[in-house]
Amino acid sequence: MDGRALASRIREELKSEIAEFGDVRLATVLVGDDPASQIYIRLKHQAADDVGIQAIDKRLPGDTSEDELVELVEELNADDSVDGILVQTPLPPQIDEARVMRTLDPMKDVDGLHPFNAGQLFLGYETLVGATPIGVMRLLGEYKIPISGARAVVVGRSEIVGRPLSMLLLHADATVTICHSRTDDLARHTLDADILVVAVGYLGLITADMVKQGAAVIDVGMNRTDEGLFGDVDAGVAEIAAFLTPVPGGVGPMTIACLLENALKAARYRRGALVFPRI
């Protein structure tokens, strides 16, 4: 499942849409100097520039207090020239991540982490949903993977991937099972999956003997090693699965492309050019 090709097409379409729509501005906030987070921010800024979105780079030292970060978010909320805000996670341990996400203007929350956006998704409205879950759904659609009636297993329950993706699959009429670090006998669940999504950040967690013949397997994991970047799914799964996303080149490019879509969507919401769609 080639995420790069689909992401490239999405970005080309976005260029035209943004040129027609007008200015779109996305602010990113990075606290500290985590190397992986710095790479992600750089890639997001490069992609934004490529499609005509103006990226605003806000960086704070690692010892920034929670109140200082909240103050910056409130300033960005109040800035009418800013359409979208992304606070890069993870945040340093002295900061309550949940409080920061609650502070975001929900109509600028391009990661879909504000309780309003999470609640809308729960109720079946796709207001602003995280880019990775949306990217996974777009990949399933691109490859015409049947979702309605399928057994979908999501390994991982994070607020940014596992939980929202489970809701999207449920709204698409899949029968959804959520597994996590406390799940007993993980293979008993994964072997039932027509659609298996793995998003835990554990190198090689899913092996070939844990996958149903002919399943569609989406590997969201990104594990950096001395040998390169690898996912949560062992390479041997390619012999069993009918569809498999590579790492890199699968979900990663889709996440960035769908983040840019969310920035444009946020701008449209704020200008009254879009209503909340039912999923």
Side-chain angles (χ1 to χ4, degrees):
M1 302 175 78
D2 189 348
R4 283 198 179 103
L6 178 55
S8 177
R9 197 165 78 237
I10 290 170
R11 285 162 63 165
E12 283 302 313
E13 291 169 358
L14 274 173
K15 282 184 185 180
S16 300
E17 291 180 39
I18 290 166
E20 181 179 345
F21 179 80
D23 291 339
V24 177
R25 303 182 83 210
L26 171 66
T28 63
V29 180
L30 176 61
V31 183
D33 54 4
D34 177 72
S37 293
Q38 291 187 32
I39 292 170
Y40 297 149
I41 289 293
R42 186 180 74 247
L43 291 174
K44 289 167 184 174
H45 279 241
Q46 289 173 348
D49 182 66
D50 183 56
V51 300
I53 293 175
Q54 183 178 346
I56 304 160
D57 193 3
K58 298 288 186 179
R59 301 196 179 216
L60 298 171
D63 60 356
T64 296
S65 72
E66 184 178 305
D67 286 343
E68 289 172 322
L69 177 55
V70 165
E71 183 179 353
L72 173 59
V73 170
E74 289 175 337
E75 289 174 2
L76 294 171
N77 285 344
D79 186 342
D80 199 49
S81 70
V82 173
D83 295 300
I85 305 170
L86 181 148
V87 179
Q88 184 67 42
T89 57
L91 293 170
Q94 75 273 13
I95 296 175
D96 178 1
E97 195 170 293
R99 181 190 172 199
V100 174
M101 298 310 165
R102 288 195 304 270
T103 302
L104 285 166
D105 179 342
M107 292 296 95
K108 296 187 179 187
D109 167 34
V110 293
D111 269 336
L113 292 172
H114 188 281
F116 174 83
N117 289 321
Q120 284 282 89
L121 176 58
F122 180 85
L123 294 171
Y125 291 92
E126 188 181 316
T127 311
L128 286 168
V129 181
T132 300
I134 290 292
V136 170
M137 297 299 289
R138 295 286 292 273
L139 273 170
L140 292 172
E142 175 72 6
Y143 285 87
K144 297 180 173 55
I145 309 299
I147 300 176
S148 180
R151 291 183 178 272
V153 174
V154 179
V155 184
R157 54 180 170 179
S158 70
E159 289 85 355
I160 200 162
V161 181
R163 297 187 196 190
L165 179 56
S166 298
M167 284 290 102
L168 289 172
L169 288 165
L170 183 64
H171 291 312
D173 297 324
T175 299
V176 182
T177 299
I178 304 174
C179 298
H180 46 76
S181 60
R182 298 292 187 270
T183 297
D184 184 45
D185 193 3
L186 179 61
R188 181 167 63 86
H189 301 281
T190 60
L191 281 167
D192 279 341
D194 302 305
I195 299 169
L196 175 60
V197 183
V198 193
V200 293
Y202 190 106
L203 181 65
L205 174 66
I206 302 298
T207 52
D209 59 347
M210 300 171 70
V211 176
K212 180 180 181 179
Q213 186 77 39
V217 181
I218 309 291
D219 190 352
V220 184
M222 295 180 66
N223 304 285
R224 296 185 183 278
T225 72
D226 292 339
E227 289 75 37
L229 187 66
F230 298 93
D232 293 346
V233 176
D234 184 79
V237 169
E239 302 299 319
I240 303 297
F243 297 92
L244 175 64
T245 56
V247 177
V251 175
M254 291 299 300
T255 294
I256 293 178
C258 293
L259 169 68
L260 302 176
E261 282 192 321
N262 273 356
L264 176 58
K265 182 182 283 189
R268 284 177 164 154
Y269 280 142
R270 297 184 62 249
R271 289 161 175 76
L274 196 64
V275 296
F276 300 151
R278 185 90 187 181
I279 296 175

